[in-house]
């Protein structure tokens, strides 16, 4: 792994320990996960114990300690979507991809996460793939959406 | 625009902006909040740019992309001013006509107007649409009038007048007094009087002091804070500055959850513009007052919305709450006095200072003044954000503004207050909205989510859903919250799966009591609310699940069965084709039957059965009718009838 990017991000925050979360967020968006080497580098450069970096990386949901698939599926489990049948959408996606929330399939095609609310309640139930929102879903429509991904 | 160094210069610039605005007579406004992004607002915007150019109106028509207008059900929305014509669900294909008809010929396009679902009447102007007519949009209304990337737009609607008044005409004490007199109560959950909190922070020893905006908004089904931040970050920042001035702070933080990229982007732009124009930074408007703001992205943990956890997170640590007192107003960020308020609370402050406390208190009830923004979602016709005067009835919100329940279904309950709020049943529809009123009914104001539920919603499942949410989000510090909630979730799941036992309700009540008594922060203390309020008003549903293994709402998968009514089935084959479990037996002209052994209860057959047949039925608590005998399954058309 090239530590150059990680170093750049740390330098941008002037190596301040209070920016730890902000730094990890940027590394996460760069690689879509937090490689161990990056965490070690952060620990070293910020003079923060590795155990604390790890604690932060596991405490917050935005961080992943394992690599993600090519397409990230976020299924909204917000209350509005729940009462409009989000569980059935989740069932369908699990069925089609064979993975549970938090998992990535063996081909690294999809990663699946549930999220608390995407704030598109008028379109519920919704899911988001690679940042694109798909709304007013039914299990049948969900299957069509997933089919279009390679 | 240059750096502004005095109130007089600010007024000059404001006048200048306003006079320029008059030249371009027509203004096209397109709603571009996150919700409308999802429905294609970007493509509409591109079409508008192209079409204005093509039809020769570029430069003549002022085109503005704004934040959320609230009527998300009907987005993207295009407004044509000054006529105030409101077009709904606009697609790129509609744009050429809007330009050639409405802008050029001044003709209204009927097809794009709001149509009343009951009377069929159309409404051309925004203010004639019932959704808007019954609101009082003193805070949220600005969204529609400004491009969040343009500080000039904010000046044009009178922005920074409150700041000028505070910095040059009145003292920090007077600002504080005004907010106290307005009885502004926190919009983020607790409803604590903002003025009192500010006073504590002002009088607390320790320097420097801090002000913080809480834009974590973790409540699922609530997005008003995001929409305020996306649509009018200037208003929030102005409020924050007024608070800083009042308590003697020179540094502020805005904590925004990272799931809100557009809010982060617009806030960043606003801060940059304000800095460039001398409206943030050193010696603001030549007053000698210094103030700087930093933005902190949250990293996805519901508990970080709790103020002590949020402050921990700002310090770069894991967001675990700590006991209060000491309250943040006394010992907050880095141990210094810190005043933390919700986005909407801050957004109300410029209004109070500019128009005075009296104008503010003229709206509302005895204990709750001003307005509140709710996100009206779930089983409701007009999903969206609504700003209503405190004291309005829930019935008016749901029926007059929200347009009632879709599909002619019956209203069952509305859930308010976020995950640890409660449900308000139909008997209490006349309840007036206010902090104390909602608490008395066993729910709470919370941040303003209002999730409407109809007869198809199972209240035991709703309780299970929220307890599950809170179990996931518990930070794990206190045992009764961490383990107690897990047990509650297990019992509730059992009940919804038909494995409930006599005594479960009592056990849940006991666990609730312990969590309330023995948790440190409000998450644990209020976590049992969803159970408590549903059992209070819907005990019969719990009992039906436990004693009769029946889900009255026909929702809980393990307790329902699907079957096909042979009288209604026309053997169209829709369910036969779509069933993923191949659990449907049938053929051409042969009445379909659900094989109960194979059925996975996914509900696909129910969903795809054409509504003109409605042959697929659900049942709970009783055996499905026996399948019709083989020899009667052929559909024979009687020739006489044909
Ligand atoms: C579990 C939990 C989550 C909270 N989440 C939020 C939130 O997302 N936004 C918010 O403004 N306040 C939230 N609060 C309330 C804050 O602790 C705090 O009371 C509030 O920010 C104070 O601002 P206000 O007085 O203007 O409402 C939460 C509280 C708890 C216990």
């Amino acid at each position: 792994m090239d530590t150059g990017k990680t170093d750049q991000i740390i330098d941008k925050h002037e190596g301040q320990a209070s920016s730890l979360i902000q730094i990890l967020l940027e590394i996460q968006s760069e690689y879509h996960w937090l490689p161990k080497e990056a965490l070690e580098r952060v620990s070293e450069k910020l003079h923060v114990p590795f155990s604390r970096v790890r604690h932060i990386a596991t405490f917050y949901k935005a961080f992943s300690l394992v690599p993600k698939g090519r397409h990230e599926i976020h299924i909204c489990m917000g209350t509005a979507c729940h009462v409009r049948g989000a569980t059935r959408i989740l069932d369908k996606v699990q069925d089609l991809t064979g993975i549970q929330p938090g998992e990535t399939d063996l081909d690294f095609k999809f990663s699946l996460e549930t999220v608390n609310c995407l704030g598109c309640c008028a379109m519920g139930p919704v899911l988001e793939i690679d940042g694109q929102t798909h709304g007013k879903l039914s299990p049948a429509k969900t299957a069509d959406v997933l089919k279009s991904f390679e | 625009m240059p750096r502004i160094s005095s109130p007089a210069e600010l007024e000059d610039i404001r006048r200048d902006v306003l006079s320029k605005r008059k030249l371009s007579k027509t203004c096209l406004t397109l709603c571009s909040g996150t919700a409308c992004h999802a429905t294609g607002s970007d493509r509409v915007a591109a079409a508008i740019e192209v079409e204005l150019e093509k039809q020769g109106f570029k430069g003549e028509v002022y085109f503005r992309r704004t934040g959320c207008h609230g009527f998300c059900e009907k987005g993207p929305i295009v407004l044509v001013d000054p006529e105030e014509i409101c077009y709904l669900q606009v697609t790129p294909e509609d744009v050429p006509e809007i330009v050639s008809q409405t802008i050029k010929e001044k003709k209204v396009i009927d097809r794009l107007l709001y149509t009343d679902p009951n009377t069929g009447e159309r409404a051309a102007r925004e203010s004639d649409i019932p959704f808007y007519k019954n609101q009082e949009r003193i805070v949220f209304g600005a969204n529609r009038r400004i491009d969040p990337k343009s500080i000039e737009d904010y000046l044009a609607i009178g922005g920074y007048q409150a700041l000028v008044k505070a910095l040059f005409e009145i003292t920090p004490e007077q600002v504080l007094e005004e907010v106290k007199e307005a009885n502004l109560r926190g919009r983020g959950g607790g409803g604590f009087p903002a003025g009192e909190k500010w006073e504590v922070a002002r009088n607390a020893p320790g320097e420097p002091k801090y002000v913080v905006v809480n834009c974590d908004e973790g409540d699922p089904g609530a997005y008003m804070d995001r929409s305020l931040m996306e649509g009018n970050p200037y208003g929030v920042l102005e409020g924050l500055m007024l608070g800083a001035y009042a308590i003697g702070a020179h540094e502020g933080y805005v904590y925004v959850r990272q799931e809100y990229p557009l809010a982060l982007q617009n806030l960043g732009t606003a801060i940059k513009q304000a800095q460039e124009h001398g409206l943030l930074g050193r010696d603001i408007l030549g007053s000698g007052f210094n103030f700087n703001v930093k933005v902190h992205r949250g990293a996805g943990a519901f508990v970080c919305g709790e103020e002590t956890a949020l402050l921990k997170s700002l310090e770069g640590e894991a967001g675990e709450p700590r006991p209060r007192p000491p309250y943040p107003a006394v010992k907050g960020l880095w141990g210094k006095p810190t005043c933390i308020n919700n986005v909407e609370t801050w957004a109300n402050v410029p209004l109070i200072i500019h128009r005075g406390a009296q104008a503010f208190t003229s709206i509302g009830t005895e204990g709750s003044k001003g307005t509140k923004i709710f996100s009206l979602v779930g089983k409701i016709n007009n999903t969206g954000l609504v700003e209503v005067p405190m004291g309005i009835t829930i019935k008016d919100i749901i029926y007059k503004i929200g347009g009632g329940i879709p599909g002619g279904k019956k209203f069952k309950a509305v859930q308010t207050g976020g995950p640890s709020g409660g449900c308000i049943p139909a008997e209490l529809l006349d309840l007036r909205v206010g902090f104390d009123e909602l608490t008395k009914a066993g729910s709470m104001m919370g941040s303003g989510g209002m999730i409407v539920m109809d007869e198809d919603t199972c209240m035991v499942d709703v309780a299970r859903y929220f307890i599950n949410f809170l179990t996931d989000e518990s930070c794990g510090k206190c045992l009764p919250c961490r383990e107690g909630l897990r047990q509650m979730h297990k019992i509730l799941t059992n009940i919804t799966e038909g494995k409930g036992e006599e005594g479960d309700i009592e056990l849940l009540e006991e666990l609730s009591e312990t969590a309330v008594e023995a948790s440190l922060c409000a998450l644990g203390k209020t976590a049992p609310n969803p159970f408590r309020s549903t059992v209070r008003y819907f005990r019969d549903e719990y009992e039906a699940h436990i004693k009769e293994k029946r889900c009255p709402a026909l929702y809980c998968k393990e307790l329902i069965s699907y079957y096909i009514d042979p009288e209604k089935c026309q053997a169209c084959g829709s369910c036969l084709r779509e069933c993923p479990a191949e659990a449907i037996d049938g053929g051409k002209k042969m009445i379909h039957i659900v094989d109960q052994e194979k059925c996975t209860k996914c509900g696909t057959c129910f969903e795809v059965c054409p509504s003109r047949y409605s042959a697929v039925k659900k049942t709970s608590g009783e055996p499905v009718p026996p399948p019709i005998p083989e020899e009667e399954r052929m559909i024979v058309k009687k020739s006489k009838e044909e």
Side-chain angles (χ1 to χ4, degrees):
Chain A
M1 197 196 81
D2 105 76
T3 49
K5 287 240 175 67
T6 307
D7 282 356
Q8 259 175 26
I9 291 169
I10 297 171
D11 292 344
K12 208 173 95 195
H13 290 272
E14 294 158 8
Q16 282 190 12
S18 62
S19 301
L20 177 57
I21 298 170
Q22 305 304 301
I23 290 171
L24 294 184
L25 278 171
E26 286 182 34
I27 297 175
Q28 168 82 33
S29 6
E30 183 68 38
Y31 300 107
H32 300 286
W33 69 296
L34 298 177
K36 184 149 185 261
E37 295 81 357
L39 293 186
E40 281 166 353
R41 189 80 187 156
V42 168
S43 156
E44 186 188 316
K45 288 200 77 172
L46 296 187
H47 308 292
V48 172
F50 184 73
S51 61
R52 201 181 127 206
V53 177
R54 225 189 136 80
H55 180 44
I56 300 283
T58 48
F59 183 87
Y60 292 101
K61 290 217 168 102
F63 303 126
S64 168
L65 294 173
V66 288
K68 292 279 178 154
R70 290 192 297 287
H71 306 293
E72 292 190 40
I73 310 175
H74 293 155
I75 301 186
C76 182
M77 286 289 161
T79 322
C81 285
H82 178 78
V83 302
R84 291 190 185 185
T87 318
R88 292 173 51 219
I89 307 303
L90 177 62
D91 284 349
K92 188 81 197 176
V93 173
Q94 288 181 346
D95 201 34
L96 290 170
T97 58
I99 48 173
Q100 305 278 320
E103 294 179 352
T104 299
D105 61 23
L106 290 175
D107 308 332
F108 285 96
K109 181 174 172 187
F110 289 120
S111 294
L112 176 59
E113 293 288 344
T114 55
V115 294
N116 285 342
C117 183
L118 291 168
C120 302
C121 307
M123 293 169 72
V126 298
L127 64 72
E128 191 187 79
I129 303 186
D130 303 339
Q132 181 85 32
T133 316
H134 304 267
K136 302 235 152 130
L137 291 173
S138 61
K141 229 172 122 186
T142 308
D144 291 340
V145 170
L146 287 195
K147 264 184 222 143
S148 61
F149 286 87
E150 270 312 308
Chain B
M1 213 160 71
R3 198 187 147 84
I4 308 168
S5 53
S6 71
E9 270 181 48
L10 183 78
E11 284 316 311
D12 283 345
I13 290 179
R14 193 194 312 279
R15 225 172 293 126
D16 199 42
V17 169
L18 286 172
S19 69
K20 263 194 283 176
R21 291 286 151 95
K22 274 202 197 109
L23 293 178
S24 45
K25 285 198 194 85
T26 307
C27 176
L28 262 189
T29 303
L30 170 67
C31 178
S32 304
T34 295
C36 281
H37 260 288
T39 44
S41 145
D42 274 346
R43 280 179 292 122
V44 176
I48 291 178
E49 299 276 7
V50 167
E51 214 50 46
L52 286 179
E53 172 97 58
K54 208 155 109 192
Q55 302 195 31
F57 285 101
K58 201 176 155 85
E60 235 173 281
V61 168
Y62 187 61
F63 172 42
R64 172 195 290 147
R65 297 188 70 180
T66 67
C68 177
H69 298 185
F71 202 5
C72 307
E73 187 72 41
K74 301 285 183 193
I77 298 170
V78 169
L79 295 168
V80 187
D81 285 318
E83 292 85 357
E84 236 196 85
I85 297 166
C86 178
Y87 290 143
L88 306 172
Q89 291 176 313
V90 176
T91 62
E93 292 70 42
D94 298 322
V95 171
E97 211 180 328
I98 294 178
V99 177
S100 66
Q101 292 297 304
T102 309
I103 292 183
K104 201 166 178 180
E105 308 275 342
K106 300 280 169 222
K107 278 193 203 137
V108 175
I109 307 167
D110 280 351
R111 147 176 75 82
L112 296 174
L113 297 179
Y114 175 81
T115 314
D116 191 306
N118 301 317
T119 63
E121 248 174 80
R122 295 183 195 276
R125 295 188 323 166
E126 191 183 40
S127 49
D128 295 332
I129 301 175
F131 177 80
Y132 291 110
K133 197 161 63 185
N134 296 295
Q135 295 189 43
E136 185 136 13
R137 306 210 297 164
I138 57 174
V139 178
F140 197 54
N143 264 28
R144 159 209 191 300
R145 297 162 63 205
I146 66 172
D147 173 351
K149 297 195 165 56
S150 158
I151 199 167
E152 291 195 358
D153 275 10
Y154 187 59
L155 287 175
I157 63 161
Y160 292 111
Q161 275 170 312
L163 184 72
V164 168
K165 180 170 172 187
L167 296 181
F168 296 92
E169 292 163 33
I170 58 178
T171 62
E173 289 85 350
Q174 283 172 306
V175 173
L176 185 67
E177 277 313 311
E178 204 70 38
V179 173
K180 268 171 77 180
E181 205 185 309
N183 193 12
L184 171 64
R185 295 176 64 174
R187 266 46 174 168
F192 191 80
E196 275 179 43
K197 195 190 300 188
W198 293 15
E199 191 163 39
V200 172
R202 181 177 162 79
N203 295 333
E207 287 289 334
K209 293 178 178 166
Y210 298 100
V211 281
V212 178
V213 182
N214 186 344
C215 185
D216 190 46
E217 195 164 54
D219 288 3
Y223 57 105
M224 66 292 282
D225 290 348
R226 180 192 72 196
S227 295
L228 278 173
M229 197 56 102
E230 277 177 11
N232 185 8
Y234 304 99
V236 181
L237 289 174
E238 189 180 353
L240 186 67
M241 280 202 261
L242 290 165
Y245 176 72
I247 72 160
H250 300 286
E251 257 178 89
Y253 284 86
V254 188
Y255 184 104
V256 186
R257 62 194 287 231
Q258 57 109 25
E259 291 92 332
Y260 287 176
L262 189 61
L264 278 159
Q265 191 187 332
N266 290 357
L267 172 66
T269 310
I271 291 176
K272 208 162 142 251
Q273 291 204 4
Q275 280 165 346
E276 281 166 14
H277 298 113
L279 286 156
L280 265 181
R282 294 198 63 74
D283 192 18
I284 292 168
L285 295 176
S287 66
F289 175 65
N290 308 326
F291 185 69
N292 282 306
V293 182
K294 283 203 190 104
V295 178
H296 181 101
R297 277 204 290 162
F302 175 72
V303 75
C304 283
E306 196 279 336
E307 53 190 26
T308 61
L310 187 147
L311 296 175
K312 272 263 162 284
S313 181
L314 279 184
E315 292 171 3
E317 310 221 2
E320 287 170 358
R322 62 157 175 80
R324 300 176 308 176
Y327 285 90
V330 179
K331 258 185 171 14
L333 193 58
W334 321 112
K336 304 293 180 195
T338 302
C339 191
I340 169 164
N341 279 113
N342 167 262
V343 175
E344 192 184 337
T345 314
W346 289 118
N348 268 286
V349 174
L351 229 71
I352 291 169
I353 300 304
H354 179 53
R355 296 201 211 155
Q358 273 193 348
F360 187 79
T361 53
S362 70
I363 306 172
T365 64
E366 185 57 34
S368 311
K369 299 297 183 192
T371 61
K372 177 76 192 86
I373 308 176
F374 287 99
S375 71
L376 190 58
V377 301
K379 305 282 188 72
I380 185 91
N381 274 315
N382 300 334
T383 299
L385 295 179
V386 304
E387 182 177 354
V388 291
M390 296 279 196
I392 188 175
T393 63
I394 293 196
K395 193 188 212 158
D396 281 352
I397 297 182
I398 291 176
Y399 289 95
K400 281 196 183 157
I401 300 175
I405 318 296
K409 297 271 180 178
K410 233 171 79 196
F411 169 86
K412 186 185 269 183
V414 58
Q415 202 274 352
T416 71
S420 38
C423 292
I424 293 165
E427 304 94 88
L428 294 182
L429 269 175
D430 286 318
L431 189 76
R432 294 190 177 277
V433 164
F435 291 100
D436 313 318
E437 291 83 348
L438 286 169
T439 307
K440 225 183 281 161
S443 183
M444 58 188 200
M445 182 77 93
S447 64
M450 241 186 208
I451 294 102
V452 182
M453 300 167 183
D454 68 3
E455 55 190 291
D456 296 340
T457 314
C458 168
M459 300 317 280
V460 185
D461 173 71
V462 165
R464 187 201 57 77
Y465 166 82
F466 284 118
I467 299 288
N468 179 42
F469 179 95
L470 293 160
T471 311
D472 269 358
E473 297 295 347
S474 167
C475 76
K477 194 163 168 170
C478 313
L479 184 83
C481 175
R482 186 183 69 228
E483 292 304 325
L485 289 182
R486 205 196 306 277
Q487 287 311 317
M488 286 182 76
H489 179 240
K490 208 159 134 193
I491 299 169
L492 287 164
T493 307
N494 279 342
I495 297 178
T496 58
E497 291 179 349
K499 293 180 257 171
E501 290 167 13
E502 205 72 44
D504 275 356
I505 298 182
E506 291 70 23
L507 193 54
L508 284 166
E509 279 165 346
E510 229 173 275
L511 286 164
S512 300
E513 215 160 291
T514 318
V516 171
E517 298 270 312
S519 305
L520 253 182
C521 85
L523 191 147
K525 282 188 183 306
T526 57
N529 274 355
F531 161 70
R532 286 184 151 179
S533 82
T534 47
V535 84
R536 172 169 168 189
Y537 296 117
F538 301 96
R539 202 180 182 98
D540 54 332
E541 286 198 28
Y542 279 86
E543 282 169 354
H545 281 77
I546 296 172
K547 295 190 183 137
E548 301 164 42
K549 310 296 170 203
R550 178 172 69 87
C551 173
L554 299 176
Y555 179 87
C556 294
K557 212 165 147 177
E558 274 75 6
L559 297 181
I560 57 169
S561 310
Y562 290 88
Y563 69 93
I564 295 171
D565 182 348
E567 299 283 321
K568 295 199 165 155
C569 178
Q570 297 299 315
C572 72
S574 300
C575 57
L576 185 68
R577 276 191 304 276
E578 299 284 344
C579 176
E582 298 182 2
I584 302 210
D585 179 73
K588 208 171 163 198
K589 293 200 178 162
M590 188 187 223
I591 289 172
H592 301 353
I593 293 174
V594 178
D595 182 339
Q596 300 296 331
E597 295 286 302
K598 286 189 188 161
C599 177
T600 60
K601 301 176 185 177
C602 70
T604 302
C605 52
F606 188 79
E607 180 195 318
V608 299
C609 182
S611 56
R612 57 186 188 281
Y613 307 144
S614 297
V616 179
K617 304 284 176 202
K618 283 196 259 188
T619 178
S620 179
E622 52 189 16
V624 294
I628 62 165
E630 275 305 312
E631 60 276 15
E632 289 169 34
R633 282 182 68 187
M634 292 310 284
I635 302 179
V636 197
K637 290 232 168 96
K638 295 179 192 111
S639 50
K640 267 182 226 158
E641 274 177 25
E642 274 182 354

